[in-house]
Amino acid sequence: MAWQRERPGTPTESIEIVTPIWWLAKLFTDDRNRALREAGIDAATLDLLSVIRRSGPPYILSTREIARRTLVTAGAISQRVARAERDGLVHRKPGTTGSRTVLVELTADGHALIERSVDTVLGREATLVSGLSEHERPVLIGLLDKLMADVRQRTAHEEK
């Protein structure tokens, strides 16, 4: 390996794992962006509409719950909701539990867009991972889960 030749003792054991993950992330991101353009939706709107759609009927969530489920700041959620409301995809209304609670409801147009979009995006992603066998998938899922949990734990103290 070039780094070992150029800098003996440099810790290189992560390269064969991390570099392919970065490359895959870029390939998946680029492909998802193409699929989103085809579907006529951007990633932030897909995220917003998806979380409301997955909540089940009547497809209404508070902005606080949307922020919790998407791991996005309240300010970013407010911007996403305002843009989606301008586009006729959601409707905001006051909550019943407190004066500051805001509920966000999918409109018929928002529901139709997420139904089309999720099929386009997830269908494309299913195609991209179809090269893995039925036996390989759970192995990879398990290893990725293990790595994700460990990396989160090791980096958690750095985020605070």
Side-chain angles (χ1 to χ4, degrees), residues 69-135:
R69 292 183 186 192
T70 60
L71 304 176
V72 176
T73 66
I77 292 300
S78 180
Q79 290 176 353
R80 289 178 181 189
V81 169
R83 188 174 58 237
E85 188 171 44
R86 274 194 312 272
D87 293 342
L89 304 173
V90 299
H91 172 70
R92 278 187 281 196
K93 60 186 184 180
T96 56
T97 59
S99 61
R100 297 185 62 178
T101 302
V102 176
L103 299 176
V104 183
E105 178 178 24
L106 277 182
T107 64
D109 286 347
H111 194 277
L113 178 59
I114 194 59
E115 293 298 303
R116 269 192 330 271
S117 302
V118 79
D119 286 346
T120 299
V121 172
L122 294 181
R124 180 65 188 151
E125 289 174 355
T127 299
L128 293 177
V129 299
S130 66
L132 295 173
S133 74
E134 293 301 316
H135 299 308

Side-chain angles (χ1 to χ4, degrees), residues 23 25 35 41 53 60 66 81 84 90 92 120 123 134 159:
W23 277 101
I41 192 170
R53 174 61 179 87
I60 300 172
I66 293 168
V81 169
V90 299
R92 278 187 281 196
T120 299
E134 293 301 316
E159 294 174 5

Side-chain angles (χ1 to χ4, degrees), residues 5-26:
R5 183 190 69 237
E6 295 298 317
R7 296 195 66 228
T10 298
T12 58
E13 55 275 358
S14 64
I15 290 175
E16 291 180 322
I17 296 169
V18 175
T19 300
I21 289 172
W22 280 109
W23 277 101
L24 278 170
K26 178 168 180 10

